[in-house]
Amino acid sequence: MDLFEHQAKEIFAQYGVPVPTGKVATTPDEARAIAQELGGRVVVKAQVKAGGRGKAGGVKVADDPADAEAKAKAILGMDIKGHTVHKVLIAQASDIAVETSGRRLARAPRGFGDLLRTLADQRGSGGNTPSAAVRP
């Protein structure tokens, strides 16, 4: 199957798999309204059928509805690996813990797992990792 993230989450939810609450927006104004409805911090996620959205700048955490509107404005229309972003998923932000070898390395908003894993890999190989970014 070739699904957008929001479609996969809808299927998971139908089968009782817990997924963060979220809705799709096609305009910055819609993104603001959804963020207002959800309350609190949200994640604005480009909906394209390509990996690496976060690294391309297509996944951003917004602190409030105005910030969600601004982040959606920046993401909508961007090109990610040859795919134009026409819609964004606005979802509740939640903290995640990244673990490796049984040790929790850090907590970060959902969507930043790749970044934390990269930092963890650098730390494990003796690379320069800012101690504020990854805490044992």
Side-chain angles (χ1 to χ4, degrees):
M1 268 192 235
D2 193 16
L3 303 172
F4 288 105
E5 176 184 7
H6 70 90
Q7 293 170 320
K9 285 184 176 189
E10 289 168 6
I11 292 169
F12 289 152
Q14 288 174 0
Y15 287 92
V17 177
V19 295
T21 303
K23 292 185 178 181
V24 174
T26 58
T27 68
D29 288 338
E30 287 177 353
R32 181 186 191 110
I34 294 167
Q36 181 71 41
E37 178 184 328
L38 294 175
R41 291 172 29 146
V42 297
V43 183
V44 181
K45 303 174 90 175
Q47 295 299 284
V48 293
K49 295 177 180 178
R53 294 173 299 155
K55 292 177 184 177
V59 178
K60 301 197 179 284
V61 176
D63 293 321
D64 56 49
D67 194 23
E69 179 179 20
K71 301 278 172 61
K73 185 175 182 178
I75 293 171
L76 288 165
M78 80 180 338
D79 180 274
I80 298 177
K81 296 186 178 181
H83 301 273
T84 302
V85 179
H86 296 289
K87 54 189 173 181
V88 291
L89 175 64
I90 310 300
Q92 290 176 322
S94 58
D95 287 341
I96 59 169
V98 175
E99 295 187 16
T100 183
S101 303
R103 289 181 30 191
R104 185 169 74 193
L105 298 175
R107 296 187 68 78
R110 182 174 300 279
F112 286 86
D114 282 347
L115 171 63
L116 290 176
R117 284 184 198 87
T118 299
L119 292 172
D121 289 346
Q122 289 174 353
R123 181 177 189 189
S125 65
N128 288 332
T129 302
S131 59
V134 177
R135 290 175 225 128

